[in-house]
C-alpha cells in the first residue's frame, strides 16, 4: 500500500511499538511508495526515530512477490477501503491478515459464502491496543497463523479468481441488458 493518511500508518507504527515490547522478535516492513504525501511519510519516519522503535523498515515501492515468502502475516490499518487487493494477494500467498473493519475486510477475513474459517483478525479503526494485541496473538500462535493462512488461500481460490470476476461481470451485464430489453451474448 502507500504511506498516506488513509492507510493510517501512524496507528500501525504505534501498535507495532507496543507489540514489540511483548514480542521482541517482531519485525515490520512498511511497504509501498511514500511520495504521494511526503509530509505524512516524513512524520511516520520521524515517529519511528523519536519512539526509538527497532526493526521497522520502510521499503518504498517494491515487488511484493519478493516479500510474501518472508512474511508471517500482513497488516492493513486503513481508515477506508473497498475490496483490498492487498488482502487477496496475501491469501494467495497463504499469509493471514490483521485488518481494520473497513470496506469488505470483514467479508474477506470471515468469509461470506464459505465455511473455511477466519483468515485473520479484524480490528477496529485506529485502535492501537487491539491491533497490537492481534500482532502478539499471531506472533505467539504459529498453528493459528498457518490455519488462517490456509483459510485465506482456500477463500481466494474459491471465490476471487479471475474466472469468478469474469463470470460475475457477465452476469451483471446480462441482467442489465435484459432489464433494458437489449440482447447480450455471453
Amino acid at each position: 500500500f502507500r504511506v498516506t493518511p488513509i492507510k493510517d500508518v501512524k496507528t500501525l507504527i504505534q501498535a507495532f511499538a507496543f507489540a514489540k515490547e511483548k514480542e521482541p522478535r517482531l519485525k515490520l516492513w512498511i511497504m509501498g511508495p511514500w511520495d504521494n504525501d511526503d509530509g505524512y511519510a516524513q512524520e511516520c519516519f520521524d515517529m519511528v526515530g523519536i519512539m526509538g522503535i527497532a526493526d521497522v523498515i520502510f521499503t518504498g515501492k517494491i515487488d511484493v512477490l519478493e516479500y510474501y515468502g518472508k512474511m508471517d502475516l500482513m497488516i492493513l490499518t486503513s481508515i477506508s477501503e473497498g475490496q483490498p487487493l492487498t488482502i487477496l494477494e496475501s491469501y494467495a500467498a497463504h499469509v493471514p491478515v490483521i485488518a481494520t473493519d473497513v470496506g469488505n475486510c470483514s467479508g474477506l477475513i470471515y468469509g461470506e459464502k464459505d465455511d473455511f474459517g477466519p483468515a485473520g483478525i479484524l480490528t477496529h479503526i485506529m485502535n492501537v491496543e487491539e491491533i497490537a494485541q492481534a500482532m502478539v496473538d499471531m506472533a505467539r500462535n504459529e498453528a493459528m497463523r498457518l490455519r488462517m493462512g490456509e483459510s485465506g488461500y482456500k477463500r481466494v481460490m474459491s471465490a476471487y479468481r479471475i474466472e469468478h470476476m469474469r463470470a460475475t461481470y457477465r452476469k451483471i451485464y446480462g441482467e442489465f441488458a435484459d432489464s433494458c430489453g437489449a440482447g447480450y451474448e455471453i
Side-chain angles (χ1 to χ4, degrees), residues 146-165:
L146 293 173
R147 185 175 58 253
M148 288 178 166
E150 285 308 305
S151 294
Y153 180 76
K154 289 175 185 175
R155 185 161 295 129
V156 80
M157 296 308 284
S158 74
Y160 295 96
R161 296 174 55 111
I162 190 74
E163 300 83 26
H164 300 119
M165 183 189 77

Side-chain angles (χ1 to χ4, degrees), residues 114-177:
D114 67 52
D115 60 354
F116 299 132
I121 298 173
L122 194 68
T123 66
H124 291 94
I125 298 169
M126 300 179 84
N127 190 320
V128 172
E129 183 179 335
E130 205 174 294
I131 296 165
Q133 189 60 51
M135 289 181 204
V136 171
D137 291 346
M138 286 264 201
R140 290 181 176 170
N141 193 333
E142 181 181 15
M144 177 182 73
R145 266 195 336 269
L146 293 173
R147 185 175 58 253
M148 288 178 166
E150 285 308 305
S151 294
Y153 180 76
K154 289 175 185 175
R155 185 161 295 129
V156 80
M157 296 308 284
S158 74
Y160 295 96
R161 296 174 55 111
I162 190 74
E163 300 83 26
H164 300 119
M165 183 189 77
R166 286 182 184 135
T168 300
Y169 275 106
R170 281 189 194 106
K171 181 180 178 204
I172 291 168
Y173 287 133
E175 289 172 358
F176 178 72

Side-chain angles (χ1 to χ4, degrees), residues 13 42-53:
I13 292 167
Q42 190 59 54
E43 290 172 14
C44 292
F45 303 152
D46 293 345
M47 187 177 183
V48 171
I50 290 167
M51 293 177 73
I53 309 168

Side-chain angles (χ1 to χ4, degrees), residues 13-74:
I13 292 167
Q14 290 175 348
F16 179 75
F18 287 120
K20 187 142 178 83
E21 287 178 10
K22 294 179 181 179
E23 281 297 323
R25 58 195 173 104
L26 289 174
K27 293 179 178 27
L28 178 65
W29 293 317
I30 300 176
M31 300 179 201
W34 54 74
D35 54 358
N36 294 86
D37 189 331
D38 293 333
Y40 182 81
Q42 190 59 54
E43 290 172 14
C44 292
F45 303 152
D46 293 345
M47 187 177 183
V48 171
I50 290 167
M51 293 177 73
I53 309 168
D55 298 317
V56 176
I57 298 169
F58 290 87
T59 65
K61 186 175 181 175
I62 48 104
D63 179 0
V64 293
L65 295 177
E66 295 176 17
Y67 285 81
Y68 276 121
K70 304 172 190 175
M71 295 170 37
D72 290 322
L73 62 113
M74 192 280 299

